[in-house]
Amino acid sequence: MKQLLNDIMFLWSAKPIFRVAGLYLVLFLLLVLLLPWLPLPYNPTALHLDQVYQPPFKISLNEPSKPAHWFGTDALGRDVLAYTLYGARTAAFISLPVMLLTTAIGLVLGTCAGYFANTGLKTSRGRLLLFVLCAGIFLYLGLYIPLQVVSLNLNQRIIFESLGMMLLAVSLLWLVGLRVVEQVPLLRSGVAIPLDRLVLWLIETFTSIPKLVFILVLASFMPPSVVLLSAVLVVTYWTGTARLARAEILKIKQLPYIEAASSLGVPTVRLLFYHAVPNLVSPVLVTFIFGLAGLLAFESTLSFLGIGVPADLVSWGRMMAGIRNNTAAWWLVVFPGAFLVLTVLALQVCSYYYLELLKKRKN
Amino acid sequence: MFFFLLKRLLLALPSLWLIATLIFLLSRLLPGTFGAENILKESGDFYSTGTAAARKAAYASFLHKTYQDLPLFYFSIQAAAEAGTPAANLPEQERKLLKKLSWHYGNEEAVAAYVNCIKELRQELHIRDNAGHLANIEKLYTVTEPEALLATVKETVSNMGNTAPSLTSKLQTSAATLVRRQQPYRAFLPAIYWHGTQNQYHQWLTKLLQGNLGNSFRDNRSVFTILKEAIQATILLLLASMLLTTLLALELGIFLQKQSGRRWRRIILPFLFFTDRIPVFLLALLLLLLFASPDYFQLFPVYGLGYYTGAEENLLQRILFMAPYLVLPIICLVFVNLPYLTNQFYRTMADISHTEYIKTAKAKGLAEGTIIRRHILRNALLPIITLLSDFIPALVAGAVVIETVFAIPGMGSLLVQAVQARDYPVMVGIVLVVALAKIISHLVADFFYTLADPRLRLTAS
Amino acid sequence: MRKFSTLVCFFFFFLFFCSQPRRQPGEVRVRLVGDPETLNPVNYQNAGGLQIINLLFQSLLTVDLADEKLKPALAARLPAVERQDSVTLFTYQLRDEAEWTNGSPVTAADVAFTLKVLKAPLVNNEHLKPQVAFIKDIVLSGSKTFTLVCEGYTPEMELLTGDFFILPAYLLDPEELLTSFSLAELSGNQEKLAENKQLQQFAARFNNADFARNKDLLKGSGGYELEHWATGQYITLKRKENWWGKATGAASSYLTANPERISFQVIPDNTTALLALKNRQLDVLESIAAAEFDQLKQNESFKQDYALYTPTIYDYTFVGLNTRLPKLQDKHTRQAIAYLLDPDNLIKVTLNSYATRTVGPVPPTVQEFYHQELPLYSYNPGKAVKLLTTAGWAREKEGWFKNINGRREQLTLDVIFRAGNTVYENSALIFQQNASKIGIPVTVQAMENSLLNQKLKSQEYDMFFRSLSGNPFVFNFKPLFHTSFAHSGGSNYTGFGNAESDALLDAINTAGNNTEKAKLLKRLQEQLHEEAAIVSLYYQKGRIAVHRRFTNTKISGLKPHYDVSSFLIKD
């Protein structure tokens, strides 16, 4: 962490372009955080029905008291400037957590699969059995019943009762079960969990079912919401990172000095992570940034297909999709588009310099 | 080597089965079925064409014909309180009430008796055509909590006064029994029901094993024919764009790696980022507005893959005839996929260029081009192959927007239509084909892996 | 440098291909939103399919789009109607000149065969079967005359008895598998019939994809035949040589087959279709986006080639409120909401004024039945506040509150509509703003179509935007507004209705003459207006462009809004 800060300080003083990009990102972050307290002339969701599709930079002379719509207005007379700024906020609030979560899941699953392979993770049969039983209980009491209650519109009380019962059953099973397992020799013997194969299976399955199917299916269950959209994205995006991480670990495990170290009895975990993580940074960072910005484009594609995010969510994608109803309204695309491009560009520049630095240090 | 690939293929089969099963179950979970819209005419017209009862009967016979009235899987797990699903032919309202009450009271006999009472009362009132009391009855369909239920029943009975006294007293007693003999804990106990082979999954799987993907609900053609048609329409587009993208990405990656390309890197990489961020539909729209509209350059046709001329053509003629229609979609697809690929290619090559053996090669004084093509590229092939094998299904399914905008009937738009129309056989068929394509491409990737990396060859054998 | 030259070469290579598609003279190009999927006349799936089948096959009656009147097609004249106690008899006479593609005449036996196909079990006829469920039997009297025996009487029956495509028995049932059955028999117990071997054989044959696509089997009495179908791309129809309809004389001049070839182009995306039109690749395009239509109006070079039309189409848009909810039970609350909708601005902003306001479901163009004196709900927040107070709501800091059945409830509204429909979405957002101005919190939620239907059917909603397609001949509003359809799952989603409105709806269906009917319909409109469970917004105006080289386009408010078979090339 300290290293990272030092690197940033170094780049800041050495590379002027990095400074510009960094400054932009800092401003962007500030904007995102402080936006609600900024004095904007218009609310992003306020409609002005008498000023629809107003082109940008047009100052109305008739009503000097009204502040101008510097970036024009959209189909409902919403101020494009305010909308674009608030869109940045939404973009950051959706894509950052989603990408962090996907990267975390991908890294953990990928490195575990690569490290433990098919034989590395061992446990006793009894514990495995208990685990499966607990999973069953969780699925029934923790998932099935609450879902039924919600879909049938039953009393919410049942959900809480069910969850409480689940906790009780699981802890009881674990307490009593472990004792029993220790007594039975058949259950005590160890088995290896083929973690690598399991993770590969998961990756294969998730990447084989088109993302669109997930979303279409989910959209027909419940109205699309930000949480739902994020969940779908997390579920479908983690595979890329996981695969990269796994491949990297496998590659490093075969390096001669790691093999030598492990044969000498040196704990390989630390060694592995010490070597693997720096190698992972570069591809993972690329996927992260591409994913981050890709999310924004993806969301506008969804509104194109008519699946759509909630109607009152302020987003760049939604504004850009507005051009389909009026191909002459170029300002709906240009301003949010420019903002989007600038942000991504700044991210890219920063990551570029940082990667260069890492590369240099490695040599 | 051969055995290694065979082993991989056999290992891939369970995952194919898993995907197929998953998507089958997922698709049947979708609310609404094909035909519900058309047959039940829910979207409604101004004048009714056919009575609701006739429509319901037609719908039921449709479900029966397509096996959709069978249970989904070999077994089902439900709360013990639910006691099997209420018969599908019951009216929606009644079924819902039955289900809700069962959850609350866990005593299906008492629930059935109570619901039956309401039903009888309603029929009686219908015969007497008593609209005011009917509204009362409607209220009974909405309450489930014990106190509210008893109160509503009491209110209803007192409101009705002397109309149908035998039925109202029956209602009152059945409601009392229901509340008295409730077993709410039964909602938390699971019950397993066994359906045997008379289930949708079994029917589908046996057909699938015989190589039959089923028939589309929409036009009754076999799914195989439909898929073949969709693939044929877009295969040229996909192949051409994929080939072009890969070549361009490789060339660009190499170019950026060279000393002479360094200067360009600052321009090309951001530019690629820029194109990658443009939403696909916008890019397509932009291309159309620029190159297919009378306002700017009217160079290419706007949509489709050609039109009917009536003349017989051979393959080459057909391709030549189709070519102008494909230009814009191909450009679009290349633009969409190029940035990611180029970037990944460039990064992997850049990483390798800093390893010791490349430095040695440089020290030996080898020409730059030779180093890049001979040494760097060869070592970068591994990750590149992985990327490409992942690329195929994404390309097939990801082309939806381009297919919609350019009016090309490909797999992507077929998938969206199938999901929206709830045409399950087609939907499952597409996912299966995509999964298959992916598994094959993985196999191919594995094959190349073993060729490219001698270390893997050793571990494989 | 080498790269650059390669690029240039590439570009020229492209340009080499860039030729505009040649147009065939006498071909009309029409856009379809989606592939028709099947052209089976008893199992068509969408409006596009129906439009094409209409050119291949004919029904007994047709609507002439020129004057929007019901006219005989295969029938020689409109049916003679005879009402008896429990049945109604419709007697039809077929045209003498009507013939199939092979020259054999269209006979009453063909009509009987068609009805049997529509009613037979196992055949994929589910969505038309209910439509003819009221036809109990057919009595043939001579080869060209027959009587349909129908159960009961409703006003739309005349339309419905003439509204199914007549199929050629010789082509579709050469083995005469259905001949031995009578229509009455086929209306009987379906389960028992489904075990019949002969019926099974027929169904298996008829459900085959051939009957959905094969151009040798899809041959009807219409003026066109299927020439080529490239799935998802286009369908071309060819005019028949010596079609019988040409020889019917001036009185039947509405039976037309003028263009030599009609080509239906499948273009799913609206923007693409519009570009194709601007490129002169299409001859006809309807439902152009309102903002784009206004721009086309300004485009002089475009207007030289295309004529623009805006007929009032029978698409009725309204807002529904769930009257069963305690918070919306009081009609004053609903009226207050109606005063917040601001339909004038909705029309202006979301449709660029391409719509006509209406007080109720009766189209304003049908002046005989439309209630002119009724005031329209317009934006009036002051009145809304007053009405809310009348309904017992009290304004507090967070919004409007009221004690209902001992529970304190806040007035909040969740507006739902079909996802992907920008007009509804924008309308909902405008309403949201208007409501928030007086302190009613409104959430706006787009929903996938089947999810929306499910919510409406099970009455789990507050408020919805929706439209219905109608016509100017039949006004049977019973399924929409009668309380017998108000149960969960019924088609009266809002739960509107009282004893008087029920009586009115019944009376409208049996009204003897138009003055009486007008009186009843006007009373119904008053009721609907007063109750405000359904707040009528507007009837849309179609936005259609047709190439100027055609005349006799018969632009109309009825679907498909133009009659492509009547297009004549200008000299």
Side-chain angles (χ1 to χ4, degrees):
Chain A
M1 203 61 219
K2 210 171 159 191
Q3 180 73 41
L4 188 74
L5 270 177
N6 279 344
D7 287 346
I8 290 173
M9 290 312 286
F10 167 73
L11 284 172
W12 183 271
S13 54
K15 308 276 176 185
I17 300 183
F18 180 85
R19 212 177 312 165
V20 173
L23 205 64
Y24 173 85
L25 283 183
V26 170
L27 280 179
F28 182 84
L29 262 177
L30 278 179
L31 176 81
V32 163
L33 292 175
L34 301 178
L35 196 56
W37 294 278
L38 287 185
L40 284 174
Y42 292 103
N43 188 327
T45 48
L47 317 177
H48 306 278
L49 299 184
D50 46 345
Q51 303 169 14
V52 294
Y53 287 130
Q54 212 174 69
F57 311 121
K58 207 184 100 187
I59 299 153
S60 80
L61 294 170
N62 313 343
E63 292 167 272
S65 60
K66 268 191 183 169
H69 295 284
W70 290 106
F71 285 4
T73 59
D74 75 347
L76 288 175
R78 280 173 292 208
D79 184 51
V80 175
L81 175 64
Y83 203 90
T84 311
L85 292 180
Y86 273 87
R89 197 176 152 85
T90 319
F93 281 170
I94 294 185
S95 47
L96 263 179
V98 166
M99 274 330 283
L100 283 177
L101 205 59
T102 43
T103 311
I105 294 176
L107 271 179
V108 167
L109 281 180
T111 43
C112 282
Y115 179 70
F116 291 115
N118 285 328
T119 49
L121 193 64
K122 287 200 178 73
T123 181
S124 74
R125 278 182 195 163
R127 274 166 190 264
L128 197 66
L129 190 74
L130 283 181
F131 184 75
V132 170
L133 276 177
C134 285
I137 292 175
F138 169 74
L139 284 180
Y140 181 74
L141 285 175
L143 220 60
Y144 175 73
I145 290 191
L147 277 179
Q148 283 289 314
V149 169
V150 170
S151 73
L152 282 172
N153 212 356
L154 296 169
N155 195 332
Q156 303 282 322
R157 188 193 70 225
I158 298 180
I159 295 185
F160 295 113
E161 284 172 5
S162 163
L163 288 179
M165 261 188 184
M166 180 188 79
L167 285 180
L168 197 74
V170 166
S171 45
L172 228 110
L173 194 67
W174 207 247
L175 277 177
V176 178
L178 268 189
R179 293 267 161 76
V180 176
V181 164
E182 295 302 317
Q183 306 302 318
V184 184
L186 188 71
L187 292 178
R188 223 167 30 207
S189 61
V191 329
I193 299 171
L195 197 65
D196 191 35
R197 197 166 294 155
L198 279 178
V199 170
L200 276 183
W201 248 28
L202 270 182
I203 294 180
E204 198 107 304
T205 313
F206 274 106
T207 46
S208 295
I209 300 176
K211 215 164 22 192
L212 208 65
V213 173
F214 273 116
I215 289 167
L216 285 171
V217 166
L218 277 171
S220 41
F221 269 115
M222 47 188 111
S225 67
V226 177
V227 179
L228 183 74
L229 198 69
S230 312
V232 173
L233 292 170
V234 169
V235 162
T236 50
Y237 264 88
W238 65 271
T239 52
T241 322
R243 187 170 297 189
L244 274 172
R246 176 181 168 271
E248 205 62 39
I249 294 278
L250 280 184
K251 212 157 78 188
I252 291 160
K253 257 170 95 180
Q254 282 187 336
L255 290 178
Y257 59 86
I258 304 269
E259 278 178 42
S262 66
S263 65
L264 281 176
V266 178
T268 45
V269 184
R270 266 192 66 184
L271 210 59
L272 205 58
F273 280 89
Y274 184 71
H275 284 275
V277 172
N279 278 339
L280 271 176
V281 168
S282 123
V284 166
L285 204 59
V286 174
T287 351
F288 181 81
I289 290 172
F290 267 94
L292 196 64
L295 283 184
L296 301 170
F298 184 66
E299 185 242 299
S300 67
T301 305
L302 281 187
S303 28
F304 171 85
L305 288 172
I307 303 163
V309 287
D312 31 15
L313 183 78
V314 179
S315 87
W316 287 340
R318 173 174 291 278
M319 171 139 288
M320 287 200 244
I323 195 167
R324 296 179 62 233
N325 294 316
N326 184 356
T327 41
W330 53 269
W331 55 92
L332 296 184
V333 168
V334 167
F335 295 115
F339 213 149
L340 184 69
V341 168
L342 274 181
T343 313
V344 174
L345 217 56
L347 272 173
Q348 199 258 345
V349 165
C350 288
S351 75
Y352 172 80
Y353 279 106
Y354 185 62
L355 291 181
E356 292 283 296
L357 189 74
L358 278 185
K359 222 182 296 172
K360 258 194 210 125
R361 184 172 318 138
K362 236 165 70 182
N363 301 320
Chain B
M1 189 66 204
F2 171 74
F3 284 107
F4 169 66
L5 285 181
L6 193 72
K7 199 178 131 201
R8 280 296 318 244
L9 190 67
L10 286 179
L11 275 177
L13 280 181
S15 109
L16 195 64
W17 166 79
L18 193 74
I19 293 166
T21 305
L22 200 74
I23 198 70
F24 175 84
L25 295 177
L26 202 63
S27 70
R28 305 294 152 128
L29 284 176
L30 283 174
T33 44
F34 173 78
E37 187 82 352
N38 250 337
I39 299 170
L40 295 175
K41 281 264 158 86
E42 278 158 350
S43 355
D45 256 343
F46 243 37
Y47 60 99
S48 73
T49 45
T51 60
R55 295 216 163 269
K56 261 215 170 113
Y59 183 54
S61 86
F62 168 76
L63 288 184
H64 184 69
K65 209 165 62 190
T66 49
Y67 301 117
Q68 288 188 76
D69 55 344
L70 293 179
L72 194 60
F73 203 61
Y74 294 101
F75 62 87
S76 57
I77 299 179
Q78 281 180 318
E82 282 181 289
T85 35
N89 54 13
L90 286 179
E92 175 86 17
Q93 191 182 16
E94 201 170 308
R95 209 170 64 207
K96 225 170 176 170
L97 183 69
L98 269 173
K99 248 189 153 165
K100 271 187 171 182
L101 290 176
S102 304
W103 270 91
H104 261 280
Y105 298 95
N107 184 344
E108 58 267 22
E109 273 166 44
V111 168
Y114 169 68
V115 173
N116 223 17
C117 276
I118 300 182
K119 207 166 112 188
E120 275 173 17
L121 198 59
R122 182 152 122 184
Q123 266 163 4
E124 179 67 27
L125 289 174
H126 252 298
I127 296 167
R128 298 189 191 183
D129 208 13
N130 197 328
H133 291 331
L134 270 175
N136 258 327
I137 298 287
E138 288 300 321
K139 215 169 164 191
L140 282 177
Y141 277 96
T142 57
V143 283
T144 45
E145 292 292 314
E147 303 87 46
L149 187 135
L150 285 179
T152 322
V153 166
K154 207 171 160 192
E155 192 192 325
T156 313
V157 171
S158 67
N159 273 348
M160 304 233 313
N162 242 345
T163 27
S166 63
L167 284 175
T168 48
S169 67
K170 212 168 133 196
L171 177 73
Q172 227 163 358
T173 44
S174 69
T177 328
L178 178 66
V179 174
R180 201 176 57 243
R181 293 182 41 199
Q182 56 178 312
Q183 298 163 312
Y185 60 88
R186 289 192 68 206
F188 303 109
L189 294 179
I192 300 177
Y193 298 90
W194 182 253
H195 302 300
T197 54
Q198 277 299 307
N199 65 63
Q200 290 185 46
Y201 180 72
H202 185 81
Q203 303 276 351
W204 171 76
L205 196 67
T206 36
K207 263 194 193 158
L208 185 71
L209 289 177
Q210 293 158 6
N212 183 356
L213 281 170
N215 287 356
S216 158
F217 286 166
R218 287 181 291 173
D219 55 5
N220 218 31
R221 284 193 301 161
S222 86
V223 172
F224 188 71
T225 329
I226 295 177
L227 288 180
K228 210 174 79 190
E229 220 168 44
I231 292 173
Q232 267 173 358
T234 45
I235 190 92
L236 202 61
L237 174 71
L238 290 179
L239 280 184
S241 66
M242 180 156 170
L243 207 69
L244 209 61
T245 320
T246 317
L247 283 181
L248 271 176
L250 267 180
E251 280 300 319
L252 265 175
I254 290 171
F255 176 67
L256 293 175
Q257 201 57 51
K258 282 184 182 166
Q259 282 298 337
S260 54
R262 291 264 153 100
R263 285 178 293 128
W264 291 91
R265 204 180 301 162
R266 290 231 177 113
I267 303 168
I268 290 180
L269 279 182
F271 177 72
L272 284 181
F273 266 98
F274 171 69
T275 53
D276 190 51
R277 293 298 68 99
I278 309 175
V280 191
F281 76 90
L282 210 63
L283 187 70
L285 208 64
L286 213 69
L287 283 175
L288 274 180
L289 282 174
L290 277 179
F291 297 114
S293 110
D295 301 339
Y296 300 97
F297 307 100
Q298 199 170 355
L299 296 177
F300 302 102
V302 179
Y303 68 90
L305 290 171
Y307 54 92
Y308 184 60
T309 51
E312 278 292 312
E313 301 154 323
N314 59 31
L315 190 69
L316 185 71
Q317 275 173 324
R318 217 163 62 210
I319 290 176
L320 282 182
F321 183 62
M322 237 151 87
Y325 289 90
L326 288 179
V327 174
L328 290 182
I330 286 180
I331 292 179
C332 219
L333 268 176
V334 169
F335 258 101
V336 168
N337 295 310
L338 189 63
Y340 184 73
L341 276 189
T342 310
N343 211 295
Q344 290 291 357
F345 287 1
Y346 166 68
R347 291 259 174 251
T348 29
M349 284 199 271
D351 280 350
I352 288 163
S353 74
H354 290 285
T355 48
E356 302 295 324
Y357 54 89
I358 301 295
K359 278 185 187 159
T360 321
K362 274 184 192 158
K364 272 200 309 194
L366 286 181
E368 197 189 17
T370 327
I371 295 177
I372 291 174
R373 284 183 201 271
R374 280 265 175 83
H375 298 276
I376 299 184
L377 190 61
R378 196 182 256 187
N379 283 293
L381 266 180
L382 272 176
I384 289 178
I385 289 168
T386 321
L387 279 170
L388 283 182
S389 71
D390 267 356
F391 192 47
I392 299 170
L395 196 67
V396 173
V400 183
V401 174
I402 291 171
E403 283 166 16
T404 317
V405 172
F406 292 102
I408 296 169
M411 293 277 269
S413 46
L414 187 67
L415 180 65
V416 175
Q417 282 163 23
V419 176
Q420 279 170 352
R422 305 285 187 266
D423 193 350
Y424 307 130
V426 175
M427 180 179 159
V428 177
I430 293 173
V431 175
L432 264 182
V433 166
V434 171
L436 200 68
K438 193 180 167 78
I439 280 168
I440 289 173
S441 71
H442 270 204
L443 274 181
V444 174
D446 272 342
F447 178 71
F448 281 115
Y449 256 76
T450 46
L451 282 191
D453 195 336
R455 283 173 296 182
L456 284 180
R457 212 176 310 165
L458 277 176
T459 45
S461 57
Chain C
M1 207 51 231
R2 207 177 46 116
K3 288 252 144 71
F4 186 67
S5 55
T6 337
L7 266 178
V8 172
C9 284
F10 218 79
F11 192 61
F12 277 109
F13 180 68
F14 276 172
L15 288 184
F16 171 70
F17 290 118
C18 302
S19 52
Q20 275 297 299
R22 290 152 294 157
R23 295 292 298 269
Q24 302 201 335
E27 176 191 335
V28 190
R29 282 204 186 168
V30 180
R31 177 231 186 172
L32 287 184
V33 181
D35 194 65
E37 289 155 17
T38 164
L39 290 182
N40 187 327
V42 299
N43 188 32
Y44 52 86
Q45 305 291 343
N46 49 34
L50 179 62
Q51 194 185 351
I52 295 172
I53 298 168
N54 239 322
L55 296 165
L56 304 175
F57 292 87
Q58 288 173 299
S59 35
L60 293 170
L61 305 175
T62 185
V63 176
D64 183 8
L65 293 187
D67 52 9
E68 301 188 353
K69 290 241 160 65
L70 200 60
K71 290 180 184 175
L74 273 177
R77 61 193 80 90
L78 292 179
V81 187
E82 188 189 334
R83 280 175 69 177
Q84 298 175 352
D85 328 325
S86 64
V87 293
T88 316
L89 305 177
F90 291 87
T91 308
Y92 279 96
Q93 163 88 39
L94 289 169
R95 283 179 196 269
D96 286 330
E97 54 278 59
E99 58 182 35
W100 299 112
T101 315
N102 72 346
S104 60
V106 178
T107 61
D110 287 315
V111 180
F113 166 73
T114 306
L115 282 169
K116 284 179 203 169
V117 174
L118 286 174
K119 284 179 174 275
L122 302 172
V123 175
N124 287 340
N125 52 9
E126 282 88 0
H127 91 274
L128 283 178
K129 191 190 247 173
Q131 196 167 316
V132 292
F134 69 94
I135 302 178
K136 288 296 161 200
D137 205 357
I138 178 169
V139 182
L140 307 189
S141 36
S143 74
K144 290 275 182 185
T145 321
F146 61 92
T147 305
L148 298 174
V149 182
C150 303
E151 193 179 28
Y153 177 79
T154 51
E156 63 262 33
M157 268 190 187
E158 179 173 352
L159 188 70
L160 288 178
T161 52
D163 190 30
F164 47 87
F165 297 108
I166 306 300
L167 309 173
Y170 80 92
L171 204 58
L172 303 188
D173 189 20
E175 291 145 31
E176 308 203 327
L177 293 167
L178 290 187
T179 322
S180 56
F181 295 91
S182 78
L183 190 61
E185 260 179 285
L186 286 175
S187 311
N189 185 347
Q190 297 278 310
E191 262 168 51
K192 217 163 161 195
L193 283 168
E195 284 158 22
N196 186 302
K197 279 272 162 342
Q198 235 171 313
L199 285 176
Q200 280 172 2
Q201 201 185 337
F202 177 79
R205 232 173 69 85
F206 192 80
N207 290 344
N208 190 298
D210 265 356
F211 283 94
R213 318 177 59 89
N214 192 331
K215 59 183 174 189
D216 295 322
L217 288 173
L218 291 171
K219 283 185 168 173
S221 58
Y224 288 87
E225 49 192 348
L226 189 61
E227 190 178 17
H228 190 77
W229 182 354
T231 314
Q233 299 179 47
Y234 54 82
I235 293 176
T236 47
L237 305 185
K238 195 173 65 188
R239 189 175 61 196
K240 277 183 193 166
E241 305 294 326
N242 309 319
W243 177 52
W244 66 266
K246 289 271 174 209
T248 46
S252 307
S253 61
Y254 53 89
L255 296 176
T256 48
N258 293 332
E260 202 176 296
R261 176 180 274 158
I262 303 173
S263 178
F264 291 89
Q265 310 277 321
V266 179
I267 311 177
D269 188 50
N270 284 333
T271 325
T272 314
L274 185 71
L275 264 177
L277 182 79
K278 283 184 182 165
N279 245 353
R280 288 27 172 191
Q281 271 177 279
L282 284 177
D283 292 317
V284 186
L285 182 65
E286 58 158 340
S287 24
I288 301 171
E292 300 282 0
F293 194 76
D294 270 350
Q295 279 160 30
L296 289 182
K297 268 186 170 170
Q298 312 293 326
N299 187 339
E300 285 308 321
S301 77
F302 179 82
K303 270 168 68 187
Q304 264 172 16
D305 284 350
Y306 288 88
L308 299 171
Y309 302 93
T310 53
T312 294
I313 57 179
Y314 297 98
D315 259 356
Y316 166 63
T317 306
F318 64 95
V319 164
L321 291 164
N322 192 353
T323 59
R324 296 176 197 81
L325 294 178
K327 61 182 173 189
L328 293 176
Q329 225 158 26
D330 194 321
K331 73 176 174 194
H332 296 107
T333 314
R334 302 195 296 263
Q335 284 168 355
I337 291 168
Y339 278 115
L340 291 173
L341 272 166
D342 197 4
D344 291 311
N345 257 326
L346 291 190
I347 292 172
K348 207 181 93 202
V349 173
T350 63
L351 289 168
N352 285 30
S353 307
Y354 289 112
T356 318
R357 288 213 50 188
T358 178
V359 290
V362 177
T365 41
V366 186
Q367 283 172 3
E368 195 181 0
F369 299 139
Y370 182 75
H371 200 314
Q372 270 97 355
E373 290 86 51
L374 228 49
L376 292 159
Y377 279 112
S378 53
Y379 181 54
N380 192 340
K383 217 163 183 174
V385 168
K386 217 176 278 165
L387 280 165
L388 283 178
T389 327
T390 322
W393 296 93
R395 178 80 197 252
E396 287 174 31
K397 213 172 163 192
E398 297 89 48
W400 294 84
F401 290 88
K402 179 178 171 183
N403 272 323
I404 305 170
N405 298 337
R407 241 197 305 182
R408 198 171 116 97
E409 274 212 50
Q410 189 187 0
L411 182 59
T412 57
L413 289 168
D414 186 26
V415 184
I416 58 174
F417 53 88
R418 193 162 60 82
N421 189 325
T422 355
V423 173
Y424 294 160
E425 186 183 313
N426 288 345
S427 308
L429 285 173
I430 292 173
F431 171 70
Q432 186 185 34
Q433 166 148 320
N434 290 344
S436 76
K437 270 183 196 155
I438 67 159
I440 304 175
V442 171
T443 49
V444 169
Q445 190 63 266
M447 260 178 212
E448 207 250 5
N449 207 12
S450 50
L451 187 62
L452 180 74
N453 280 332
Q454 208 184 351
K455 290 255 176 205
L456 294 182
K457 253 198 328 186
S458 55
Q459 301 159 357
E460 288 163 0
Y461 69 92
D462 294 350
M463 176 170 169
F464 65 85
F465 277 88
R466 201 152 183 266
S467 60
L468 291 172
S469 60
N471 63 37
F473 340 102
V474 184
F475 298 103
N476 178 6
F477 296 120
K478 227 175 139 174
L480 288 175
F481 304 134
H482 201 279
T483 48
S484 60
F485 291 86
H487 54 87
S488 172
S491 54
N492 181 353
Y493 298 146
T494 60
F496 163 85
N498 48 41
E500 191 199 342
S501 70
D502 282 356
L504 271 173
L505 285 163
D506 288 332
I508 288 167
N509 282 354
T510 48
N513 58 43
N514 275 355
T515 27
E516 191 193 335
K517 200 167 170 180
K519 214 178 94 195
L520 293 166
L521 272 170
K522 282 182 181 174
R523 179 70 199 127
L524 179 72
Q525 290 171 62
E526 280 168 23
Q527 276 266 336
L528 285 167
H529 188 265
E530 168 76 17
E531 286 293 322
I534 286 139
V535 186
S536 306
L537 297 176
Y538 49 77
Y539 268 90
Q540 273 209 41
K541 279 185 182 151
R543 298 169 296 271
I544 306 172
V546 182
H547 201 278
R548 280 201 193 273
R549 73 172 191 277
F550 298 111
T551 56
N552 197 28
T553 49
K554 295 195 183 173
I555 298 292
S556 147
L558 281 168
K559 275 178 184 157
H561 307 311
Y562 52 87
D563 184 357
V564 68
S565 72
S566 73
F567 282 23
L568 276 173
I569 295 188
K570 264 186 209 160
D571 301 318

